[in-house]
């Protein structure tokens, strides 16, 4: 529900496309560029300059390109660069998508989507062919009418204002391309990367360290191995009940929660990653930060290293013997990366997840004309991105390492 003062800006005027004088949310740029683009919504010759939307492809050799919006007919993607002969099936992709699928758990949205994936190309008789792998996931449970009252309002914490500023037009139905719904395609693409990594003995896993400021009790690596099968991707059973109670309380208050997730990549050989600008940790940080809910990434000890001393933070190398290989450190404060190159130890990332911005509490904002409004965000939303974000983070880590692996192979 929305209560506002002043007229609601719609259509061409809302986008600064002509007719009205209000242009405060038109795409950024110099006056000459704005003048050139005045004809865009009239089918002018400069439409491509204004409508171009980059940043939909990740990777250099193992490349994922995704498409689709929250309330469009479907989402999907294309993976290019996957070698031939990797075992792959729809069932393998579906297994990962089911972990992210909406409609389950106390913290999840009530929107129910089967997220049934269909492989369109690049696979023959259960194995990759080396050609582009296309896949598609249909949207089946949209309720676009829930977002009609929000068409000309900037929701706090969302990308409404920034999409208007960049493109001059946005799909307000569930956030369009900025919705977390787009991450379904990342998970499917990540499942293909995981198949490639599995053939090399490399695996990816995650667990939740904290929800809403409530940390998990102490746990062991053996506990973490079972996290994917527990609610909230909890690292131990003792964490589940307190988190469940917290989520129920916050849901009743009309509010949402954030959290912290650990992601690990096991079995990574030494030598992956490029020096200087394409360091493995730099690319991992980019990959994880590209997920909409993520607000921070630590590699290894991260910020704790800033409060440490060199004598503690250095990972001392051990001699061969006693079950270790020559040069294998006893600790892993560096998170498996030195100089931007993998050490052969597990890659360890800690990821900060912000609270879901769609809340049922009344908030103050403005409409596209700058007039004040009071709003409550309707629709169906998660209370916490965890645990549905966990397979998304794992997918981005898998895509990064798969790409680094192929880059290293290219070097011979």
């Amino acid at each position: 529900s929305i209560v506002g003062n002043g007229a609601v800006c719609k259509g061409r005027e809302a986008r600064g496309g002509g007719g009205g004088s209000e242009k405060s949310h038109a795409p950024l740029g110099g006056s000459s560029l704005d003048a050139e683009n005045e004809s865009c919504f009239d089918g002018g010759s400069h439409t491509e300059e204004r409508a171009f939307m980059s940043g939909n492809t990740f990777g250099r050799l193992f490349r994922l390109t995704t498409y689709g919006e929250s309330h469009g007919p479907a989402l999907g993607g294309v993976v290019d660069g996957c070698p031939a002969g990797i075992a792959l099936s729809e069932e393998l992709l579906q297994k990962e998508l089911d972990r992210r699928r909406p409609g389950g758990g106390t913290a999840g949205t009530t929107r129910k989507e089967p997220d049934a994936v269909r492989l369109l190309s690049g696979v023959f008789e259960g194995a990759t062919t080396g050609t582009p792998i296309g896949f598609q996931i249909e949207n089946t449970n949209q309720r676009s009418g829930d977002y009609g009252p929000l068409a000309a309002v900037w929701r706090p914490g969302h990308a409404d204002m920034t999409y208007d500023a960049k493109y001059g037009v946005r799909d307000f139905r569930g956030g369009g391309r900025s919705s977390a719904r787009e991450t379904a395609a990342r998970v499917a693409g990540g499942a293909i990367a995981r198949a490639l990594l599995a053939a090399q003995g490399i695996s990816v896993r995650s667990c939740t360290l904290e929800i809403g400021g409530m940390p998990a009790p102490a746990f062991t690596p053996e506990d973490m191995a079972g996290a994917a099968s527990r609610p909230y991707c909890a690292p131990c059973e003792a964490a589940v009940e307190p988190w469940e109670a917290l989520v129920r309380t916050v849901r009743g208050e009309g509010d949402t929660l954030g959290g912290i997730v650990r992601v690990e990549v096991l079995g990574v050989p030494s030598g992956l990653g490029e020096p200087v600008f394409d360091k493995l940790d730099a690319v991992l940080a980019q990959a994880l930060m590209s997920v909409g809910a993520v607000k921070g990434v630590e590699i290894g000890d991260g910020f704790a290293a800033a409060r440490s001393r060199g004598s503690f933070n250095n990972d001392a190398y051990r001699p061969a013997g006693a079950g270790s290989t020559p040069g294998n450190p006893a600790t892993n404060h560096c998170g498996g990366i030195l100089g931007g190159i993998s050490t052969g130890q597990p890659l360890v990332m800690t990821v900060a997840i912000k609270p879901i911005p769609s809340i049922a509490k009344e908030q103050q904002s403005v409409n596209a004309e700058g007039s004040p409004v009071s709003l409550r965000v309707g629709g169906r939303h998660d209370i916490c991105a965890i645990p549905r974000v966990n397979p998304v983070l794992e997918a981005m880590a898998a895509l990064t390492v798969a790409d680094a692996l192929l880059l290293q192979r290219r070097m011979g």
Side-chain angles (χ1 to χ4, degrees), residues 141-202:
N141 193 224
Q142 309 96 309
R143 281 194 346 206
S144 300
D146 290 347
Y147 295 90
L150 300 172
V153 175
W154 291 340
R155 298 167 297 167
H158 290 78
D160 299 343
M161 184 278 288
T162 52
Y163 266 59
D164 269 346
K166 184 171 182 67
Y167 303 109
V169 62
R170 63 183 170 89
D171 184 349
F172 61 82
R173 304 166 303 164
R177 184 67 171 156
S178 69
S179 168
R181 181 92 184 115
E182 62 87 8
T183 61
R186 299 181 189 231
V187 172
I192 299 170
R194 294 174 85 132
L196 169 62
L197 296 179
Q200 304 299 315
I202 302 171

Side-chain angles (χ1 to χ4, degrees), residues 36-50:
E36 277 187 1
N37 285 330
E38 281 300 311
S39 63
C40 287
F41 290 102
D42 295 324
S45 61
H46 297 286
T47 302
E48 67 280 359
E49 295 181 30
R50 189 166 186 169

Side-chain angles (χ1 to χ4, degrees), residues 41-399:
F41 290 102
D42 295 324
S45 61
H46 297 286
T47 302
E48 67 280 359
E49 295 181 30
R50 189 166 186 169
F52 179 73
M53 188 174 185
S54 59
N56 298 300
T57 298
F58 179 81
R60 295 171 64 184
L61 294 184
F62 191 99
R63 296 168 59 86
L64 169 66
T65 301
T66 72
Y67 64 85
E69 293 83 32
S70 177
H71 286 229
L75 308 103
V78 176
V79 167
D80 199 5
C82 183
I86 304 299
L88 193 69
S89 65
E90 290 180 351
E91 289 75 20
L92 189 149
L93 273 65
Q94 194 65 55
K95 178 182 177 182
E96 292 303 316
L97 283 164
D98 286 349
R99 297 177 57 207
R100 186 215 158 273
R101 186 173 59 194
T106 306
T109 174
T110 56
R111 176 175 175 175
K112 296 187 181 299
E113 292 279 1
D115 279 357
V117 66
R118 182 185 176 196
L119 279 170
L120 305 178
S121 63
V123 179
F124 179 68
E125 294 184 343
T128 58
T129 61
T131 59
I133 303 170
F135 58 86
Q136 184 163 292
I137 304 159
E138 290 188 5
N139 289 323
T140 64
N141 193 224
Q142 309 96 309
R143 281 194 346 206
S144 300
D146 290 347
Y147 295 90
L150 300 172
V153 175
W154 291 340
R155 298 167 297 167
H158 290 78
D160 299 343
M161 184 278 288
T162 52
Y163 266 59
D164 269 346
K166 184 171 182 67
Y167 303 109
V169 62
R170 63 183 170 89
D171 184 349
F172 61 82
R173 304 166 303 164
R177 184 67 171 156
S178 69
S179 168
R181 181 92 184 115
E182 62 87 8
T183 61
R186 299 181 189 231
V187 172
I192 299 170
R194 294 174 85 132
L196 169 62
L197 296 179
Q200 304 299 315
I202 302 171
S203 61
V204 187
R205 66 182 185 180
S206 72
C207 73
T208 301
L209 300 180
E210 186 176 307
I211 292 180
M214 182 182 293
F219 60 92
T220 67
E222 290 74 21
D223 291 330
M224 184 178 172
S229 63
R230 299 189 190 99
Y232 304 105
C233 213
C236 58
E237 290 291 345
V240 175
E241 188 174 339
W243 286 347
E244 187 83 1
L246 176 62
V247 167
R248 286 200 174 103
T249 297
V250 171
R251 180 185 287 276
E253 295 170 349
D255 221 329
T256 59
L257 294 163
I260 299 176
V261 174
R262 175 183 292 170
V263 181
E264 296 184 353
V265 187
L266 310 177
V268 179
S270 58
L272 302 189
E274 310 304 317
V276 191
F277 299 115
D278 290 326
K279 288 180 166 68
L280 182 58
D281 41 358
V283 182
L284 281 166
Q286 177 199 351
L288 296 169
M289 286 293 296
S290 74
V291 178
V294 174
K295 300 305 292 183
V297 175
E298 295 181 341
I299 309 294
D301 284 2
F303 282 94
R307 299 185 290 270
S308 181
R309 297 190 179 188
S311 56
F312 176 83
N313 188 65
N314 289 343
D315 297 310
Y317 295 108
R318 296 180 295 182
S324 68
T325 56
N328 186 26
T331 56
N332 191 20
H333 300 296
C334 67
I337 302 171
L338 288 172
I341 300 171
S342 62
T343 66
Q345 294 176 283
L347 306 182
V348 181
M349 290 76 68
T350 305
V351 185
I353 307 297
K354 72 174 184 177
I356 300 292
S358 295
I359 62 174
K361 288 188 171 184
E362 185 174 287
Q363 301 177 83
Q364 302 303 311
S365 189
V366 298
N367 61 23
E369 289 188 330
S371 301
V373 297
S374 299
L375 74 153
R376 289 186 177 88
V377 178
R380 300 162 293 174
H381 309 284
D382 296 296
I383 300 303
C384 183
I386 297 169
R388 293 179 59 212
V389 74
N390 292 55
V392 180
L393 302 176
E394 293 173 23
M396 295 311 299
L399 287 163

